[in-house]
């Protein structure tokens, strides 16, 4: 049997603490709405995928055995385990730990009660379990939060996921099981605008509006970067499909808050149309004029602002869908996203397709703009980048009509100017190759090529002594040569590719070459592997293989297309070589820790994968740091060059600063196209300028 979720509801009656009249009803209601089926008194072995433990015979031993059995069963089928604890809870004086009282528990005798946090850790650590969702409706419920250190350093190496939703603070009482009853109602009715599934955070926010007198608390821990989807508790009945559009998560959240501030006199827009949004705006304005709302004036103004922003999002989504048609893709949406502040980057969703378009528009209009900034600056940059990437006419009448409708004509003009400057900066690229090495040391000459729009327009060869100082001096002359030709072509030279043999990759940082000013101060320096320029006969396949890998990487919608190699992988070069030959790794490969035999591993990897990343120092690159690649992947490798600059100059607190501790060898399609040029007639017979 396979299952996506297994559910265990634990609701013991402890007569010593007092009979809970609504306990069985609350437990059954919660279980029923989660499983969409009546719960019977199923065996704790969970043969049917669901169990309810209720009554005066639910002892400490039965609870602990049932939870462990549920975890084993969930692990066997790769399911998410949902554990609900309802009933009496106690916490030891001075310690925030929750103990649920089974039927045989003695008040204030901890050894007779169930430590919920410990059970949750044990369940999450069970091999194969997709994650654990805990629902706790007891007094002192927040004491169920487990020891996070146990989750991040246990037998699964930190690849655990736990989401908890708790009815009360660690020192609070919970009343009349109102949390469970309201939760069941919410799950049955659904929450508008939170997507196909409801997770802990959305439920927490909704419950805080309907559960009074006790603090609804949540915890979400996700240590599994291989997980394909976040933990969710139930399918959302209020989710609207592609045939019935609606707001995204951010838009729905902002609109709910806005309408709550205005008061109950303004109804939710249904269906999600411009006419309905106009109706909502009109009613909010009437509330402001008549003073019939319950919220402060500033919040009423905020409500109008939110509705106007959502209207802009809906207009833009309709325009982009019509204007771009089949050219509107998930990859293009992510590529066009403008530079965002750190806190806004954290909100970039992992959705795809139409849902991603909705989410990104709401992010750019509602959350990204800072106080005093135009709310359409980032939006117009996004639209301009989308159109340019799809080679569409940005001066077309439908584009200017859209900009006028959004009140963003000047912002769009500014975006077009910025786009033009950026395209000019990307036009020229200087390639410097150190392929003429002597005995795995420094070369006796440098190969120079200037590319204009990807085409070789100038080239030269410069002799030098085979020493680092001599090579760096000639590298300065090469940049001067490139800049002279750039001036003749009336374009800036910003990008410099340095092609380096394996022997120099780990001991030289070309961007730090100092000819009065460091090369990387005014140039984006990208390190390439020189072997790809003219592979030996036995490696004839490497560029075609890399091109296939890049094509696969382009289909990764949300997370960075990177395979992180663990220390045990790095410690077995022969096994790694076997996996590479079998096609196991074709995407980017990164090391979380700098391997001892990195040079040997690089000689293996560079022929098989298009991108290799490794820590510059021995302090490693933690799981939290690795998330930066998800955030900035579409801006790499340029963002690496920016991070190096900020590190040199000091004082920066940008979220990508930690990227300065990464080194890379980077090959993209543009580089592979240049490598293909060496097979052409021009490469052999062309003239040197």
């Amino acid at each position: 049997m396979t299952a996506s979720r297994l559910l265990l509801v634990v609701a013991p009656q402890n007569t010593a603490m007092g009979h809970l009249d609504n306990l069985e009803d609350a437990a059954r209601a919660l279980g029923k709405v989660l499983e969409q089926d009546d719960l019977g008194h199923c065996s704790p072995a969970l043969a049917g995928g669901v169990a309810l433990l209720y009554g005066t015979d639910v002892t400490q031993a039965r609870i602990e055995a049932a939870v462990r059995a549920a975890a084993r069963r969930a692990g066997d089928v790769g399911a998410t385990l949902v554990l609900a604890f309802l009933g009496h809870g106690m916490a030891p004086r001075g310690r925030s730990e929750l103990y649920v009282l089974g039927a045989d528990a003695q008040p204030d005798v901890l050894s007779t009660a169930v430590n919920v946090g410990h059970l949750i850790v044990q369940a999450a650590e069970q091999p194969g379990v997709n994650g654990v969702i805990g629902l706790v409706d007891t007094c002192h419920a927040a004491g169920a939060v487990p020891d996070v250190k146990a989750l991040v350093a246990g037998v699964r190496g930190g690849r655990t996921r736990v989401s908890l939703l708790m009815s009360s603070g660690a020192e609070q009482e919970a009343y009349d099981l109102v949390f469970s009853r309201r939760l069941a109602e919410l799950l049955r009715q659904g929450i508008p605008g939170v997507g196909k599934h409801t997770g802990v955070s959305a439920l927490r926010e909704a419950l805080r509006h309907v559960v009074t007198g006790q603090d609804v608390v949540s915890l979400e821990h996700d240590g599994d970067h291989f997980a394909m989807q976040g933990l969710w508790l139930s399918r959302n009945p209020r989710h609207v499909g592609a045939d019935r559009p609606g707001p995204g998560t951010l838009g729905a959240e902002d609109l709910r808050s806005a309408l709550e501030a205005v008061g109950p006199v303004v109804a939710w827009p249904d269906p999600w149309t411009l006419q309905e949004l106009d109706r909502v705006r009109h009613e909010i304005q009437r509330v402001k004029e008549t003073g019939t709302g319950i919220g402060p004036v500033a919040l009423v103004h905020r409500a109008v602002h939110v509705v106007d922003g959502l209207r802009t999002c809906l207009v833009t989504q309709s325009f982009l869908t019509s204007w771009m048609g089949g050219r509107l893709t998930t990859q293009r949406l992510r590529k066009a996203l403008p530079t965002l502040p750190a806190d806004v980057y954290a909100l970039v969703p992992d959705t795809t397709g139409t849902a991603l378009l909705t989410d990104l528009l709401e992010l750019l209009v509602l959350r990204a703009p800072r106080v005093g900034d135009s709310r359409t600056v980032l939006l117009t940059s996004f639209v301009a980048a989308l159109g340019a990437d799809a080679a569409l006419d940005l001066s077309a009448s439908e584009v200017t009509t859209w900009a006028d409708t959004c009140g963003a004509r000047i912002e769009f003009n500014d975006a077009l100017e910025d786009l033009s400057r950026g395209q000019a900066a990307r036009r020229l690229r200087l390639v410097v190759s150190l392929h003429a090495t002597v005995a795995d040391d420094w070369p006796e000459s440098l190969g120079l090529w200037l590319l204009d729009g990807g085409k070789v327009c100038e080239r030269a060869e410069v002799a030098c002594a085979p020493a680092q100082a001599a090579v760096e001096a000639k590298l300065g002359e090469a940049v001067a040569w490139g800049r002279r030709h750039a001036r003749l072509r009336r374009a800036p030279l910003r990008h410099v590719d340095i092609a380096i043999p394996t022997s120099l990759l780990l001991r030289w940082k070309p961007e730090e070459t100092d000819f009065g000013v460091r090369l990387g101060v005014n140039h984006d320096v990208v390190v390439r592997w020189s072997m790809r320029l003219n592979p030996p006969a036995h490696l004839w396949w490497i560029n075609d293989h890399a091109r296939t890998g890049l094509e696969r990487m382009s289909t990764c919608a949300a997370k960075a297309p990177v395979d992180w190699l663990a220390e045990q992988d790095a410690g077995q070069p022969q096994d790694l070589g076997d996996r590479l030959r079998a096609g196991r790794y074709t995407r980017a490969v990164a090391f979380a820790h700098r391997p001892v035999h990195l040079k040997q591993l690089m000689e293996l990897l560079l022929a098989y994968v298009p991108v290799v990343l490794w820590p510059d120092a021995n302090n490693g690159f933690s799981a939290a740091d690795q998330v930066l690649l998800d955030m900035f992947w579409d801006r790499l490798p340029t963002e690496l060059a920016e991070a190096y600059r900020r590190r040199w100059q000091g004082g920066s607190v940008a979220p990508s600063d930690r990227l300065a501790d990464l080194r890379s060898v980077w090959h993209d399609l543009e580089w592979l196209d240049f490598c293909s040029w060496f097979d052409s007639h021009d490469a052999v017979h062309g003239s040197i300028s």
Side-chain angles (χ1 to χ4, degrees):
M1 171 186 171
T2 59
S4 61
R5 294 180 309 144
L6 293 176
L7 171 64
L8 173 62
V9 180
V10 178
Q13 282 282 15
N14 184 284
T15 55
M17 291 292 291
H19 186 84
L20 293 173
D21 294 334
N22 298 321
L23 181 59
E24 182 175 9
D25 290 342
R28 287 187 175 278
L30 188 57
K32 183 175 181 179
V33 74
L34 284 170
E35 274 304 309
Q36 297 300 308
D37 194 9
D38 284 325
L39 292 172
H41 289 274
C42 301
S43 162
L46 299 180
V50 55
L52 168 65
L53 292 180
Y54 163 76
T56 56
D57 60 346
V58 181
T59 62
Q60 176 191 20
R62 282 195 66 193
I63 295 170
E64 293 174 347
V67 171
R68 293 184 182 117
R72 287 193 298 272
R73 179 62 174 154
D76 289 342
V77 298
T80 299
L81 179 60
V82 181
L83 298 173
F85 296 93
L86 289 71
H88 289 295
M90 66 178 178
R93 192 178 302 275
R95 286 162 52 194
S96 298
E97 284 185 310
L98 172 66
Y99 288 78
V100 165
L101 280 69
D104 59 341
Q106 302 172 38
D108 299 323
V109 182
L110 297 181
S111 61
T112 65
V114 176
N115 187 313
V116 176
H118 287 179
L119 278 183
I120 288 172
V121 169
Q122 292 173 24
E125 284 282 280
Q126 179 70 33
V129 171
N130 182 53
V132 175
I133 299 177
L135 309 173
V136 186
D137 192 358
T138 68
C139 295
H140 315 290
V145 172
D147 180 4
V148 177
K149 291 182 180 178
L151 293 174
V152 301
V155 297
R156 297 184 67 180
R159 286 185 57 185
T160 56
R161 300 200 295 166
V162 172
S163 291
L164 298 180
L165 190 59
M166 298 157 283
S167 65
S168 59
E171 298 182 359
Q172 281 186 323
E173 294 183 354
Y175 301 100
D176 199 28
L177 298 164
V178 65
F179 169 86
S180 293
R181 292 186 285 114
R182 293 289 184 265
L183 176 58
E185 291 173 7
L186 272 175
L187 294 173
R188 185 165 49 250
Q189 297 169 1
I191 305 174
V194 301
K196 183 177 180 181
H197 300 111
T198 49
V200 161
S201 58
L203 289 165
R204 178 200 64 220
E205 294 305 307
L207 284 167
R208 285 176 174 175
H209 294 293
V210 294
V211 176
T212 58
Q214 55 197 70
D215 297 336
V216 178
V217 183
S218 70
L219 170 81
E220 294 181 81
H221 164 77
D222 190 340
D224 187 356
H225 62 276
F226 293 109
M228 299 299 293
Q229 185 182 31
L231 291 178
W232 54 271
L233 185 57
S234 72
R235 292 177 176 84
N236 182 16
R238 294 292 296 275
H239 173 66
V240 290
D243 58 331
R244 187 183 174 205
T249 301
L250 296 179
E253 183 179 315
D254 284 6
L255 185 58
R256 275 198 305 273
S257 299
L259 296 185
E260 286 167 5
V262 174
V265 294
V266 181
W268 184 269
D270 188 15
W272 190 255
T273 62
L274 291 177
Q275 292 78 10
E276 271 292 285
L277 287 173
D278 289 342
R279 188 266 306 166
V280 170
R281 191 185 196 282
H282 175 73
E283 292 183 3
I284 293 173
Q285 289 282 22
R286 189 169 58 192
V287 167
K288 186 170 73 170
E289 293 166 2
T290 60
T292 56
I294 61 173
V297 173
L299 292 181
V300 176
H301 282 295
R302 166 66 180 161
V304 173
H305 187 72
V306 168
V307 173
D308 287 345
L310 289 170
R311 196 183 194 286
T312 296
C313 292
L314 191 53
V315 166
T316 304
Q317 182 156 348
S318 177
F319 159 69
L320 288 174
T321 303
S322 171
W323 181 49
M324 297 191 66
R327 302 182 187 184
L328 196 57
T329 64
T330 294
Q331 185 68 18
R332 188 160 275 150
L333 288 171
R334 292 193 175 277
K335 184 179 178 182
L337 196 63
T339 302
L340 299 172
D343 57 329
V344 180
Y345 263 120
L347 300 176
V348 174
D350 58 2
T351 49
T352 59
T354 301
L356 177 63
L357 175 58
T358 301
D359 291 337
L360 291 183
L361 291 175
E362 291 176 355
L363 180 70
L364 294 173
V365 173
L366 297 175
R367 298 296 180 89
R370 291 309 190 224
V371 175
D373 292 343
S374 167
R375 74 185 320 165
T376 55
V377 167
L378 294 172
L379 177 68
T380 50
S381 295
F382 178 64
V383 171
L386 278 173
D389 191 55
L392 294 173
D393 182 6
L394 293 172
S395 63
S397 60
E398 60 262 45
V399 182
T400 54
T401 298
W402 162 78
D404 288 339
T405 302
C406 295
R409 173 65 77 94
I410 295 177
E411 288 86 348
F412 188 66
N413 292 341
D414 292 342
L416 293 180
E417 285 191 0
D418 290 341
L419 185 67
S420 178
R421 283 192 291 269
Q423 290 171 336
R426 291 189 296 271
R427 176 183 152 189
L428 297 183
R429 183 180 294 268
L430 174 65
V431 178
V432 180
S433 175
L434 281 67
H435 63 278
T437 54
V438 177
D440 283 342
D441 206 346
W442 297 93
E444 294 182 328
S445 65
L446 303 181
L448 312 181
W449 298 267
L450 185 68
L451 279 63
D452 189 343
K455 305 293 185 182
V456 175
C457 59
E458 306 289 347
R459 53 187 157 145
E461 186 170 337
V462 180
C464 61
Q468 180 172 349
V471 168
E472 291 184 345
K474 291 299 181 181
L475 179 55
E477 293 180 17
V479 174
W481 172 85
R483 282 189 167 272
R484 285 196 301 273
H485 285 289
R487 283 192 292 272
L488 293 174
R489 293 177 175 270
R490 300 183 182 279
L493 176 61
R494 179 74 179 177
H495 295 273
V496 178
D497 292 334
I498 310 291
I500 305 176
T502 311
S503 59
L504 298 180
L505 280 172
L506 304 180
R507 56 190 176 106
W508 186 44
K509 299 178 180 179
E511 72 277 3
E512 295 184 0
T513 296
D514 190 340
F515 40 76
V517 63
R518 284 183 175 179
L519 172 61
V521 170
N522 295 313
H523 301 87
D524 296 331
V525 180
V526 179
V527 173
R528 318 286 194 173
W529 186 39
S530 59
M531 187 72 75
R532 290 193 181 276
L533 293 175
N534 191 16
H538 71 286
L539 294 178
W540 62 267
W541 48 270
I542 61 175
N543 287 338
D544 290 336
H545 189 65
R547 193 177 293 272
T548 300
L550 289 169
E551 290 170 354
R552 291 176 181 171
M553 289 165 63
S554 70
T555 64
C556 296
K559 294 184 179 296
V562 178
D563 292 313
W564 288 90
L565 294 188
E567 291 186 75
Q568 58 266 32
D569 297 317
Q572 302 292 333
Q574 184 173 348
D575 292 343
L576 178 60
D578 291 340
R579 292 196 295 274
L580 287 166
R581 283 186 288 274
R584 167 62 181 85
Y585 300 112
T586 57
R587 310 189 308 168
V589 164
F591 293 99
H593 300 276
R594 189 181 177 102
V596 176
H597 305 294
L598 181 55
K599 182 177 183 294
Q600 182 182 358
L601 294 171
M602 292 292 281
E603 290 171 347
L604 268 176
L605 286 167
L606 286 171
Y608 288 92
V609 299
V611 177
V612 183
L613 302 108
W614 68 95
D616 186 29
N618 293 323
N619 55 352
F621 214 67
S622 69
D625 295 327
Q626 292 168 23
V627 175
L628 289 173
L629 293 190
D630 297 333
M631 295 170 60
F632 294 102
W633 184 260
D634 291 326
R635 306 189 191 292
L636 298 181
T638 303
E639 191 64 35
L640 288 171
E642 293 280 2
Y644 298 153
R645 277 191 285 273
R646 289 193 295 267
R647 176 68 58 84
W648 301 335
Q649 293 160 5
S652 173
V653 291
S656 58
D657 284 354
R658 185 73 169 89
L659 292 176
D661 293 319
L662 274 185
R663 302 298 302 170
S664 74
V665 182
W666 202 282
H667 307 109
D668 46 31
L669 291 175
E670 186 174 9
W671 177 255
L672 295 181
D673 288 342
F674 172 64
C675 294
S676 298
W677 175 80
F678 285 85
D679 297 329
S680 71
H681 182 270
D682 289 342
V684 178
H685 300 287
S687 61
I688 296 178
S689 301

